[in-house]
Amino acid sequence: AGSVPAVIAVRHNSAGHGRLGVAGPPHLGQPDLGGSAPVNRPNTLAALAPQTVSFVTQNEGWVSGPLNVDGGQISGGLAETTDGGSTFTPVVSVPAPVGLVRMATGAPDLTKAEGFSFGTGYQVTYDGGQHWQTLPSPGYIEDLEVMNGSVWALVKNKNCASCAKPELFTGTLAHPTLRRVPAVPPVPAPDSAITLARHSIYVTAANFYWFSTDKGMTWRKGFNPCGANAQAFAT
């Protein structure tokens, strides 16, 4: 998770007493945002359906995902750990994050818990998820990763999020407004994802992938031996 050499997933215990225990690998996806009617937002770990995990140190990390409520799910679930994932505490956010959460890792001058919420909207936090500021979004953000002071996102056209091919966008922690990366063409939608490793960026989708080994200055196209089968990548 992030720059820490570990993989962690979470589930709530059977007693539901507000703790999460270590479990198997997570299922990554995007939340069902539900309708627009006012919904009571539960502040319990038992309601959280984990979908992303972000660690900024060996001990400090966050888990995010939709919240299970009567009639379906709503976005905005977030919890924090300070003991390496043994226990998690719900984060009370104002306003709530619009979707999944990715915290920043690997920035040499990172002194605060900065991160982003993404999905139908785009937000930034500077205090570990307690407060969120809305940023301009170029469309539906399907995947977002942060490392070494840079933000990378796969974005679908806001007029047709279900049919559009994701395009690669980038920004920085200092200037998080996303801008298009013209060197990488739109990628096939199924299983498209971003994977970061130090100064390398990989954009995987279907039968091929695009990659850069110099922080996005130049890009090359590679062949994906997994083909179009269901897949996931990690470094």
Side-chain angles (χ1 to χ4, degrees), residues 4-223:
V4 179
V7 177
I8 188 170
V10 294
R11 62 176 170 79
H12 69 273
N13 61 20
S14 58
H17 294 312
R19 285 175 174 266
L20 290 178
V22 176
H27 171 73
L28 300 181
Q30 58 196 42
D32 179 1
L33 299 179
S36 58
V39 178
N40 179 37
R41 183 176 297 277
N43 185 31
T44 65
L45 292 178
L48 177 63
Q51 291 191 344
T52 69
V53 178
S54 297
F55 273 75
V56 297
T57 69
Q58 191 70 38
N59 294 317
E60 186 178 14
W62 288 261
V63 58
S64 76
L67 295 169
N68 295 312
V69 297
D70 292 340
Q73 293 182 325
I74 58 174
S75 64
L78 184 64
E80 181 182 8
T81 179
T82 57
D83 56 13
S86 296
T87 60
F88 281 82
T89 302
V91 176
V92 179
S93 302
V94 181
V98 294
L100 301 180
V101 172
R102 193 78 69 196
M103 303 303 290
T105 62
D109 58 347
L110 190 64
T111 58
K112 52 185 178 291
E114 185 172 351
F116 299 89
S117 174
F118 62 96
T120 56
Y122 182 42
Q123 297 168 301
V124 63
T125 181
Y126 297 103
D127 57 10
Q130 297 182 49
H131 299 86
W132 295 89
Q133 300 176 20
T134 300
L135 298 172
S137 176
Y140 180 87
I141 302 176
E142 186 172 72
D143 190 23
L144 183 145
E145 297 288 345
V146 188
M147 184 177 284
N148 296 322
S150 295
V151 184
W152 299 91
L154 282 174
V155 184
K156 290 184 176 181
N157 188 299
K158 62 180 64 179
N159 296 320
C160 187
S162 63
C163 63
K165 291 183 177 181
E167 297 177 320
L168 184 64
F169 283 71
T170 189
T172 65
L173 294 182
H175 302 284
T177 298
L178 296 174
R179 63 186 186 278
R180 178 80 170 88
V181 179
V184 178
V187 299
D191 294 317
S192 58
I194 300 170
T195 305
L196 305 180
R198 298 194 179 188
H199 302 310
S200 298
I201 306 104
Y202 299 86
V203 181
T204 54
N207 293 315
F208 63 89
Y209 63 92
W210 290 84
F211 67 99
S212 171
T213 57
D214 54 10
K215 301 182 181 180
M217 298 295 294
T218 60
W219 292 86
R220 288 180 287 172
K221 185 178 180 180
F223 175 72

